[in-house]
Amino acid sequence: MTSAARRSAKDRALGLLSHRARSRAELSWRLIRAGYEHEEISSALDDLEAVGLVDDEQFARDLATHELKGKGSGRRMAISALRRAGLDAEVAERVVDELAPDDEEARAEELAQTRLARLRGLDDATAHRRLASYLLRRGYDAHVARSAALRALSGRSVQ
């Protein structure tokens, strides 16, 4: 394809944004892979940022909210998702801290309570092991996962 027939980097970025929000870094990676020059990419992304179509702060908040609230992910997993999306570590940690400052244990226990319904027929030791393992895979620290699993199970024996 000749350069005259090829869409501009801005048009290509707009096409990518029409599917879902993306970080500036992710757009840049995609445009580099498509063969656009760094100067054209930078100019296009600057223009899109100036009109609010590329906003890493808002993108980070939206993605962190999805991870923390929608998926029930722990702090580590939420930060990891933000980093994979091209956001720098400082932004990722700050946004996650703003959205979930001190409720990691409460969120883990709530998730464990929800998951416990699937483990009805299991003895407490097996249920605890599976709950803790599930929470670890969701990005919760080991101590938080074990404690939340124990608290969820303690409510089960009373019921």
Side-chain angles (χ1 to χ4, degrees), residues 6-145:
R6 185 169 82 159
R7 293 189 310 171
S8 71
K10 188 188 295 187
D11 287 340
R12 181 78 177 249
L14 284 169
L16 292 168
L17 290 168
S18 72
H19 297 285
R20 67 172 176 81
R22 298 173 194 269
S23 69
R24 183 180 175 105
E26 183 180 358
L27 287 168
S28 183
W29 297 329
R30 296 286 301 262
L31 294 171
I32 288 169
R33 283 198 321 245
Y36 292 94
E37 298 296 323
H38 289 283
E39 297 79 27
E40 185 181 7
I41 293 169
S42 180
S43 174
L45 296 181
D46 287 346
D47 290 350
L48 294 174
E49 208 167 47
V51 296
L53 292 174
V54 175
D55 182 347
D56 279 357
E57 287 289 323
Q58 187 58 49
F59 177 75
R61 276 189 217 85
D62 293 346
L63 183 55
T65 298
H66 173 70
E67 285 291 324
L68 295 165
K69 310 272 191 273
K71 292 173 71 175
S73 299
R75 185 178 187 289
R76 285 183 317 174
M77 184 174 277
I79 290 171
S80 179
L82 294 174
R83 298 287 291 135
R84 280 192 311 275
L87 298 163
D88 77 26
E90 185 273 323
V91 170
E93 289 182 27
R94 180 175 42 77
V95 168
V96 169
D97 286 344
E98 287 172 7
L99 292 173
D102 295 322
D103 66 346
E104 185 92 347
E105 290 185 19
R107 286 184 307 105
E109 186 173 353
E110 183 180 325
L111 191 57
Q113 289 288 351
T114 303
R115 188 70 172 190
L116 189 58
R118 296 182 181 188
L119 307 175
R120 261 181 280 210
L122 300 176
D123 63 277
D124 282 353
T126 302
H128 178 266
R129 188 175 64 252
R130 289 190 184 176
L131 279 175
S133 177
Y134 175 73
L135 293 171
L136 287 169
R137 289 191 310 275
R138 300 286 342 132
Y140 291 93
D141 290 328
H143 172 74
V144 170

